[in-house]
Amino acid sequence: GALVYQYPRRTICKSGTSMRMECQAVGFQATSVAWYRQSPQKTFELIALSTVNSAIKYEQNFTQEKFPISHPNLSFSSMTVLNAYLEDRGLYLCGARDRESAETLYFGSGTRLTVL
Amino acid sequence: QQKVQQSPESLIVPEGGMASLNCTSSDRNVDYFWWYRQHSGKSPKMLMSIFSNGEKEEGRFTVHLNKASLHTSLHIRDSQPSDSALYLCAASNMGYKLTFGTGTSLLVDP
């Protein structure tokens, strides 16, 4: 079956420091990977969408300078939260799309970020 | 402004009852809807997707879509306590970008 492994599951960082999270697609080829942040109020925000052979598209209020993303192949993607502050806390989710079943977005287990 | 609106915000149904959740998109370009379920502390898991007018049934779950009104609904019959979760509706328009609603929190009362 198709799975997305995301790690770390939880991380705590000091204000002003950075942390990196990674996603690994298993059992399918992830032609696109979307990174979301779910706030404590449960709202989902799309941070950016990365599609193989295309430029990474960042949503309004999110920038490459703050959330650099790497998507080097069809099974791996990573995102870094640079210079994290309190407003960056939340659950970060990667969602990968299967090229064969384009309608299905598989989510990783999420990385919960706490900023002290 | 939230482009995907879900209602109700929260819902309590008795065990064995029917739960009905609603979702409407204000983006006329959407053509695909998804329903995800997220248990507390977990990541969302896809329940069903729909892109054609009409109804789609999988087990106890039925999804309706009215493309003219961009409204979809999820119905859970014979609700179980394990169905208690946050239900998220998402919509997309031809691409890979999903826009999520804020969810309906369902509690099935045993």
Side-chain angles (χ1 to χ4, degrees):
Chain A
L3 291 170
V4 176
Y5 290 106
Q6 185 174 349
Y7 38 89
R9 293 290 298 273
R10 295 177 181 273
T11 186
I12 301 173
C13 66
K14 290 184 178 180
S15 182
T17 63
S18 302
M19 65 80 53
R20 172 185 155 110
M21 57 194 80
E22 300 179 345
C23 275
Q24 184 86 33
V26 177
F28 69 103
Q29 292 187 316
T31 52
S32 68
V33 176
W35 287 92
Y36 289 86
R37 179 171 68 193
Q38 188 177 29
S39 68
Q41 293 74 36
K42 303 297 184 185
T43 304
F44 265 82
E45 296 176 281
L46 176 64
I47 297 171
L49 179 64
S50 173
T51 305
V52 171
N53 297 325
S54 296
I56 298 172
K57 296 180 182 178
Y58 285 83
E59 291 295 294
Q60 195 173 14
N61 301 326
F62 297 97
T63 65
Q64 183 179 7
E65 290 70 32
K66 173 73 174 178
F67 299 96
I69 290 169
S70 172
H71 188 185
N73 54 53
L74 290 172
S75 64
F76 181 83
S77 178
S78 67
M79 184 178 76
T80 302
V81 181
L82 293 174
N83 200 19
Y85 286 100
L86 191 62
E87 59 265 26
D88 294 320
R89 73 189 193 280
L91 179 67
Y92 288 80
L93 292 156
C94 69
R97 187 78 64 106
D98 182 346
R99 78 155 78 219
E100 296 298 329
S101 176
E103 65 181 58
T104 303
L105 186 69
Y106 299 100
F107 279 104
S109 53
T111 297
R112 188 165 298 281
L113 173 62
T114 301
V115 182
L116 299 177
Chain B
Q1 182 184 359
Q2 188 67 251
K3 286 189 173 181
V4 178
Q5 298 279 356
Q6 288 188 246
S7 64
E9 192 174 310
S10 61
L11 180 64
I12 301 175
V13 299
E15 184 174 356
M18 171 77 83
S20 295
L21 294 71
N22 298 293
C23 173
T24 303
S25 172
S26 59
D27 183 350
R28 302 294 319 174
N29 296 313
V30 300
D31 60 350
Y32 241 108
F33 288 87
W34 284 262
W35 285 94
Y36 281 80
R37 179 165 71 182
Q38 185 179 23
H39 285 105
S40 182
K42 306 290 185 182
S43 66
K45 295 289 190 290
M46 195 189 78
L47 283 174
M48 296 175 73
S49 63
I50 190 166
F51 63 94
S52 298
N53 263 328
E55 178 181 301
K56 187 175 176 182
E57 182 178 333
E58 290 182 10
R60 297 184 294 111
F61 298 88
T62 302
V63 171
H64 292 271
L65 175 61
N66 181 326
K67 294 192 82 170
S69 60
L70 296 177
H71 177 262
T72 180
S73 57
L74 172 68
H75 305 273
I76 308 172
R77 61 178 171 81
D78 189 24
S79 296
Q80 302 298 307
S82 58
D83 293 328
S84 298
L86 180 70
Y87 287 79
L88 295 156
C89 172
S92 80
N93 58 333
M94 291 292 291
Y96 297 144
K97 173 183 171 180
L98 267 65
T99 301
F100 283 85
T102 52
T104 292
S105 183
L106 172 66
L107 177 64
V108 180
D109 204 1

